[in-house]
Amino acid sequence: MCRVGRPIQFCTFTLPSSSQQVALTPGQPAANGLQYFGEGYQKGQCGVTIDRITTAHNGQVKCSVFVDGLSAEGLIDVVVAVSPSQPTIQLEPETTYFEAGKQITAHCVTTGGNPDPQLAWFLENDPIYDGVDKQQDFEQDGTTGTALTLRRIINGNDNGKRLICQARHLAYPEGSSQTSLQLAVSFPPLYLPEHTIHGLTLGRTVDVTLVIEANPKPRTHWTVDGVGIEEGTEQDRFAARVPEQLESGAYNVTLTIAGLTLEDLTKKYTLRASNDFGVQDYTVMLSSLDAEVDESGGVGIGGIIGIVLAALIVLAAVALILVARATGRWCFRGASLNTDIGPDSEAQIAPHSHEDLHDEKLQQQNPAVHYGEGDEKSPAAATDSAKPAAEKDTKEKNGGTKQENGKKHENGKADKTNTPV
C-alpha cells in the first residue's frame, strides 16, 4: 500500500524481476496476478494484491502515484521466504573413522534458502559452542548457500555419539531440519581409578567384573598375586572370560572365582587391557561383608556382632558400678567396715545407735571396759591388785554391768568394734 495525503489520478507498481510498470485501477480485474487494493484514488491510496507469490517478487518493489501531473515514488523490500535445502555435513578430510586426540573439521551446509537459515552444531542433545566459526554465505558453481564450520578435538568419550548439524528456517514445515553423523572413534582403553567390589559371599562362586571402554575391542589379561590368566583360559579356581560388548566402545570384563575364600580377599588383582591404540592397567580389590566364618576360622559378621555385644555388656557393668559407688548404694573401700567378722559373718554397714555412741565415749575414758575379767592384757587386771578391796568390788560391779551390756549388744548383734579404715 502506497498513500498520499490527497486524491491521486493514477498509480503503478514495478516488480523487482522487471522494469515494466503495471498500472492499477480500482475495479479492474487482475493483470499478471496483480490487482488494485485500497479505498480508491480519492482517498490517496494505491495498493496491490499479489495472487501468487514467487521468487520474482523477492526484492525491492516500487510504487508510483501521480498527483496534479506530478509523480511520487515509494519503495519497500519484499522478502519471499524460500526453504533452504536440507542441511548436510561435509568433513575434511572425508572419512567415517576418527582417532582420539585428532582434530576434525566439519561444515554444516545449506543452499538456496531465503533468508539465510540459522545453523547450529550439537553433540547428541548438547549444543557445541567451542571451536565454531561465524556463519558465512558462499557461492559455488552458481549456487548460493550458507555454511557453519566446526573444528574439534575428538576423544574416546565421543565414540558412538551423534554429531548433529541443525538448520532453523521459517519455511521449513516444522521450523527446523537436521542431519547427523555417528562418530566412530578409535581410542585406547580408558583409565579407571582403583575399584573395590563389595558384598561377595565366602564359599560361593563369584564374578569380579569391570566395565571398561575401548575401541576397537580390547585384549585382556588378569594377574592374581603374580599368576597370569589370559582371557578365555582358566587357572586353578580362576577363569578369565572373553570381554562382552555392552554398547559401542563399552565392555564387560569378568574374572570368575570358584569357592571364594578369605585368602582370596587379600590377594592383588590386576587387569591389563590393550588394543592397537594403547594399554591400560586396572587394580581391583575384593571385600566380603556378609560372610560369617570362613574356612580358616576367620571372624565374620556374626563374630563381629558377638564382640560388639560383649563390649556393650562390659561398658554397662562398669557404668552401673560407678553410679552405685557415687550414690553409696554398695559398700566400697573407704567406708566404715566391721573388723570383728567371724567366718560365718556378713559384712554390714549400719547406722550408729545411741548405745554405740555411749560405748565409744566410755572406751575413750576407760579402755578397760572392753576387756573381760581375768584377761592378761586387761589394764584393769594390773591395777586391781594395787587398789583397795572396796574399790576393786566397785570395779567388779561396774565390770559386771558392762558385761551385761556387752551381752545385750551381742544378742542384738551390735557389740562390734567399728574401726575406721
Side-chain angles (χ1 to χ4, degrees):
M1 172 66 71
C2 292
R3 290 189 177 93
V4 292
R6 49 185 172 169
I8 61 177
Q9 290 82 39
F10 192 65
C11 77
T12 64
F13 267 87
T14 304
L15 300 181
S17 59
S18 69
S19 59
Q20 182 180 1
Q21 292 183 343
V22 178
L24 299 175
T25 303
Q28 296 294 323
N32 298 324
L34 304 179
Q35 187 176 13
Y36 176 85
F37 168 73
E39 297 181 7
Y41 286 169
Q42 294 300 318
K43 297 290 186 179
Q45 295 182 0
C46 177
V48 62
T49 297
I50 303 174
D51 292 341
R52 184 174 181 273
I53 288 291
T54 67
T55 55
H57 301 119
N58 185 75
Q60 194 174 68
V61 176
K62 181 175 69 174
C63 70
S64 300
V65 295
F66 296 88
V67 180
D68 298 333
L70 300 177
S71 66
E73 296 180 346
L75 301 175
I76 185 172
D77 289 326
V78 175
V79 178
V80 178
V82 178
S83 175
S85 65
Q86 297 298 308
T88 60
I89 296 177
Q90 300 176 3
L91 298 174
E92 293 182 13
E94 293 185 7
T95 181
T96 56
Y97 292 94
F98 308 93
E99 184 177 345
K102 300 293 183 65
Q103 178 178 285
I104 67 167
T105 300
H107 306 283
C108 178
V109 179
T110 62
T111 59
N114 188 55
D116 291 340
Q118 295 297 317
L119 305 180
W121 284 104
F122 291 83
L123 187 62
E124 291 295 342
N125 296 322
D126 299 324
I128 301 175
Y129 302 108
D130 295 337
V132 178
D133 294 345
K134 185 178 179 180
Q135 182 171 314
Q136 294 182 347
D137 296 334
F138 69 89
E139 183 175 355
Q140 185 177 5
D141 300 331
T143 301
T144 60
T146 303
L148 184 65
T149 301
L150 167 68
R151 293 178 176 85
R152 179 181 176 88
I153 301 297
I154 294 295
N155 58 58
N157 292 326
D158 296 333
N159 183 58
K161 295 182 179 179
R162 294 181 307 143
L163 182 63
I164 299 173
C165 162
Q166 183 188 79
R168 299 186 64 86
H169 195 276
L170 59 90
Y172 281 135
E174 297 181 358
S176 66
S177 180
Q178 67 182 34
T179 186
S180 64
L181 171 68
Q182 188 169 25
L183 300 176
V185 183
S186 299
F187 59 97
L190 299 183
Y191 166 80
L192 287 177
E194 182 177 293
H195 185 67
T196 300
I197 299 179
H198 299 278
L200 302 178
T201 303
L202 296 177
R204 294 186 179 181
T205 297
V206 298
D207 287 335
V208 179
T209 301
L210 277 184
V211 178
I212 65 175
E213 294 182 84
N215 190 40
K217 181 180 179 179
R219 301 174 295 275
T220 58
H221 178 93
W222 286 92
T223 301
V224 182
D225 268 2
V227 178
I229 310 171
E230 289 288 343
E231 63 178 56
T233 64
E234 298 182 6
Q235 182 72 30
D236 294 333
R237 297 179 296 107
F238 301 92
R241 297 183 185 178
V242 175
E244 175 187 2
Q245 185 170 358
L246 299 177
E247 53 188 17
S248 181
Y251 297 87
N252 261 347
V253 183
T254 302
L255 177 69
T256 300
I257 305 175
L260 184 69
T261 66
L262 188 63
E263 183 182 1
D264 293 335
L265 303 182
T266 64
K267 293 179 179 179
K268 182 179 180 181
Y269 298 83
T270 303
L271 170 65
R272 169 163 289 191
S274 62
N275 60 16
D276 295 338
F277 296 91
V279 179
Q280 187 66 253
D281 290 330
Y282 307 92
T283 301
V284 182
M285 306 295 292
L286 306 185
S287 174
S288 175
L289 300 180
D290 57 349
E292 294 185 357
V293 180
D294 74 301
E295 61 186 18
S296 63
V299 178
I301 192 168
I304 294 175
I305 293 175
I307 294 173
V308 171
L309 290 177
L312 291 176
I313 292 173
V314 172
L315 291 175
V318 172
L320 185 60
I321 292 173
L322 292 176
V323 171
R325 178 167 182 171
T327 58
R329 294 179 180 273
W330 295 346
C331 64
F332 290 94
R333 187 173 181 83
S336 296
L337 301 178
N338 193 325
T339 58
D340 186 14
I341 299 175
D344 297 330
S345 301
E346 295 181 356
Q348 300 183 18
I349 299 176
H352 290 290
S353 64
H354 294 290
E355 294 179 355
D356 291 337
L357 297 175
H358 180 68
D359 287 346
E360 290 179 4
K361 290 180 180 181
L362 291 177
Q363 182 182 1
Q364 294 175 0
Q365 296 174 2
N366 187 2
V369 298
H370 283 280
Y371 289 90
E373 186 176 278
D375 192 344
E376 293 180 357
K377 297 181 180 180
S378 173
T383 56
D384 283 350
S385 59
K387 292 183 179 181
E391 184 179 356
K392 183 176 181 181
D393 292 339
T394 303
K395 292 295 182 180
E396 288 176 354
K397 291 180 182 179
N398 291 336
T401 302
K402 291 300 180 183
Q403 288 177 359
E404 291 177 1
N405 290 335
K407 290 179 181 180
K408 180 179 179 181
H409 290 308
E410 182 179 358
N411 292 334
K413 295 185 180 180
D415 190 14
K416 295 180 175 64
T417 302
N418 291 328
T419 305
V421 178

